[in-house]
Amino acid sequence: MISTQLYELTLAEAGALIRSKRLSPTELTEAYIERIESKNNHIQAWAAVTADAARKAALAAEKQIMNGHYNGPLHGIPYGAKDIICTEGVRTAAGSSVDPEYVPATNAAVIERLDSAGAILLGKTTTTEYAYQGGEPPTRNPWNLSHTPGGSSSGSAAAVAAGMASFTLGTQTFGSLIRPAAYNGLTCMKPTFGRISRFGVFYASWSLDHIGTFTRTVEDTAITLEALAGHDSRDPSTLPGAAPFFTQALDTDIRGMVLGLPDSFFVAEDPAITEALNAAIQVLTQLGVQFKKIKLPDCMDEAIAAHRMTMRAEGAAYHMDKYETHADKYGPSMREQLELGYELSAVDYLRAQRVRTVFRNDMMRLFYEVDAILTPSTPTLALAGYKTGSPMFNGPFTNAGLPAMTVPMGLEPSSQLPIGMQLAGPLLGEDKLLAIGHRFQQATNWHRMTAAFYGTK
């Protein structure tokens, strides 16, 4: 007998039960479909729900497992995908009115990999228009429906937080993985640029886009990253060779590791965030981690400006053909960003890339001194209303292509909104972040306090 609601299980817990045949994929899938039917009307995390297809896939997975064909820890696990990720035969509107009935003929690489692992697609989650800023979907934060879940991966974060999926796929061009994960009390990794193929995903910016997963725990993140990472010839930006076994990093001893505390920039606006970070530092100190003050590169402001310029220029280039014929179908915020991109010159863009190169090298040099960097995940709590919040604490690591991860580290006492802790590492340094985050979660209980239990019922 399982003594908890099925949607309360972590991915790893559900996977272990499925493997031991104490839980069937059909039971788990049906539990998530019922949860969606019960909660999505209020939270609006889903752009499309493929319940019938999910039930069919779950039955197939159940038969495979009963016949001794177990594909691994994602076999029979239901998930959702951000609606800029192409899904064969399933509408992919990208949160836009430009082509609202577009149905891809093929799957994105990440969907292919999850299919091979036996995961079960529940549907597509909401996003801002083409994963750009502004034009926010009506998705609400499950912890408090009057607050934002963050963007652009709004639905992906809200769905997991509300117990409507075991995990979800999202993307980040500035802060669209880490920020919504922090706002929703989730764990999320933005891996090193090139770790995961973006083939079959609508670009916001081809030199900045990253794919990641929203999960409840670091262990779950490691499981999904292990399934998704690896070279793909269809995406020339992917790293060569096979991906590491990220789940093995969970057993790494973190005693003696050195975490850098930046001297500036990452200063939270809310005192509760600073208090939670100080408490987290105490926990990590007890776990044997050491801390060192570090000086950030002098060009932080210039790097942020270059980041925005890159997004606008590359986004404008990507949308040029559609925009020339369908400009009126784009939302006002998206049109504004594209017009700003079209005003940029080649010289502007190349200067931005030079700034980014200098900044990236300066950031990588920080890891000669420390194993990872510790900051708050966001400068504020989830804001009231539709504003997606500031990505400023996430942008530097996205710009440099460095891995970063957020884990829950507290709740604001009066609002009970979640607070996230961000860990950033060197290129290909996901293993260190997973080890630190996992040990932190073994010593704390914040990751167990999800909106499914503590937020909007």
Side-chain angles (χ1 to χ4, degrees):
M1 292 291 293
I2 300 170
S3 61
T4 189
Q5 295 285 351
L6 294 182
Y7 65 80
E8 297 177 13
L9 296 170
T10 68
L11 188 164
E13 290 168 345
L17 289 169
I18 288 173
R19 182 177 187 179
S20 66
K21 301 179 183 178
R22 294 172 58 203
L23 173 64
S24 75
T26 55
E27 289 177 295
L28 186 61
T29 299
E30 200 60 45
Y32 280 118
I33 292 172
E34 291 176 3
R35 185 73 176 173
I36 292 170
E37 292 173 346
S38 171
K39 299 299 177 184
N40 193 53
N41 186 50
H42 301 290
I43 297 168
Q44 300 185 59
W46 296 87
V49 179
T50 54
D52 290 342
R55 290 186 176 108
K56 183 178 179 180
L59 182 60
E62 181 175 322
K63 290 180 178 178
Q64 289 172 339
I65 293 167
M66 294 304 294
N67 291 329
H69 302 292
Y70 179 69
N71 289 346
L74 290 177
H75 202 172
I77 299 295
Y79 76 99
K82 185 175 180 177
D83 200 31
I84 63 167
I85 298 172
C86 288
T87 41
E88 181 182 356
V90 180
R91 182 171 60 86
T92 303
S96 177
S97 298
V98 174
D99 195 359
E101 300 303 322
Y102 173 63
V103 178
T106 58
N107 282 321
V110 287
I111 303 297
E112 291 175 349
R113 286 178 180 262
L114 292 175
D115 280 353
S116 296
I120 297 166
L121 180 67
L122 290 168
K124 309 302 288 293
T125 54
T126 58
T127 176
T128 58
E129 186 173 18
Y130 289 108
Y132 257 70
Q133 64 188 49
E136 292 82 0
T139 310
R140 309 319 305 145
N141 190 317
W143 288 86
N144 187 319
L145 297 184
S146 66
H147 287 251
T148 181
S152 61
S153 304
S154 314
S156 290
V160 175
M164 293 190 282
S166 182
F167 73 98
T168 53
L169 294 167
T171 63
Q172 176 162 310
T173 310
F174 210 126
S176 296
L177 287 168
I178 302 296
R179 182 176 73 257
Y183 284 172
N184 287 273
L186 301 175
T187 300
C188 185
M189 169 81 77
K190 181 206 77 64
T192 299
F193 182 79
R195 273 289 194 201
I196 298 176
S197 172
R198 300 166 303 166
F199 172 79
V201 180
F202 288 106
Y203 283 113
S205 172
W206 52 72
S207 70
L208 290 167
D209 291 346
H210 298 68
I211 295 176
T213 57
F214 294 92
T215 70
R216 295 258 301 282
T217 69
V218 174
E219 182 181 17
D220 291 357
T221 294
I223 291 170
T224 57
L225 184 60
E226 197 164 280
L228 294 169
H231 180 68
D232 180 3
S233 60
R234 297 167 299 180
D235 178 358
S237 70
T238 52
L239 299 169
F245 292 102
F246 292 105
T247 52
Q248 294 180 359
L250 302 176
D251 297 325
T252 302
D253 188 353
I254 67 172
R255 288 175 296 182
M257 284 192 182
V258 181
L259 291 187
L261 298 175
D263 61 342
S264 59
F265 189 79
F266 295 95
V267 180
E269 298 175 25
D270 193 310
I273 297 177
T274 303
E275 292 173 11
L277 186 68
N278 289 335
I281 289 172
Q282 292 181 7
V283 171
L284 290 167
T285 299
Q286 293 170 359
L287 293 173
V289 172
Q290 301 173 17
F291 292 88
K292 179 180 180 178
K293 289 284 187 181
I294 57 173
K295 186 180 185 308
L296 294 172
D298 294 330
C299 60
M300 293 294 288
D301 291 340
E302 293 87 346
I304 292 168
H307 190 142
R308 293 192 186 282
M309 190 176 296
T310 300
M311 287 180 62
R312 288 167 177 161
E314 293 182 357
Y318 181 71
H319 284 273
M320 179 175 287
D321 291 341
K322 284 184 179 179
Y323 193 70
E324 286 181 350
T325 55
H326 299 293
D328 59 317
K329 294 183 179 180
Y330 284 85
S333 179
M334 185 77 181
R335 284 201 304 271
E336 179 185 8
Q337 292 301 313
L338 292 178
E339 291 291 348
L340 288 171
Y342 293 130
E343 292 174 3
L344 297 171
S345 69
V347 172
D348 294 329
Y349 179 76
L350 291 173
R351 284 176 174 170
Q353 303 322 299
R354 183 178 182 183
V355 170
R356 288 183 64 201
T357 300
V358 173
F359 176 70
R360 185 183 301 114
N361 291 339
D362 286 347
M363 289 293 287
M364 287 192 293
R365 276 192 284 269
L366 293 175
F367 296 99
Y368 296 160
E369 308 175 46
V370 297
D371 293 289
I373 294 172
L374 176 67
T375 76
S377 298
T378 58
T380 67
L381 302 170
L383 303 175
Y386 285 85
K387 297 179 180 178
T388 55
S390 171
M392 297 303 288
F393 286 4
N394 322 125
F397 307 113
T398 310
N399 199 359
L402 302 174
M405 182 174 68
T406 182
V407 298
M409 67 171 179
L411 298 177
E412 199 280 327
S414 59
S415 68
Q416 292 293 288
L417 289 170
I419 302 171
M421 173 180 80
Q422 180 174 236
L423 294 160
L427 287 173
L428 311 181
E430 290 90 349
D431 54 342
K432 292 182 178 180
L433 307 186
L434 291 167
I436 297 166
H438 183 58
R439 297 296 182 185
F440 180 80
Q441 289 190 337
Q442 288 181 318
T444 61
N445 203 39
W446 300 116
H447 59 290
R448 287 287 182 182
M449 300 181 182
T450 68
F453 327 120
Y454 295 91
T456 304
K457 302 300 183 185

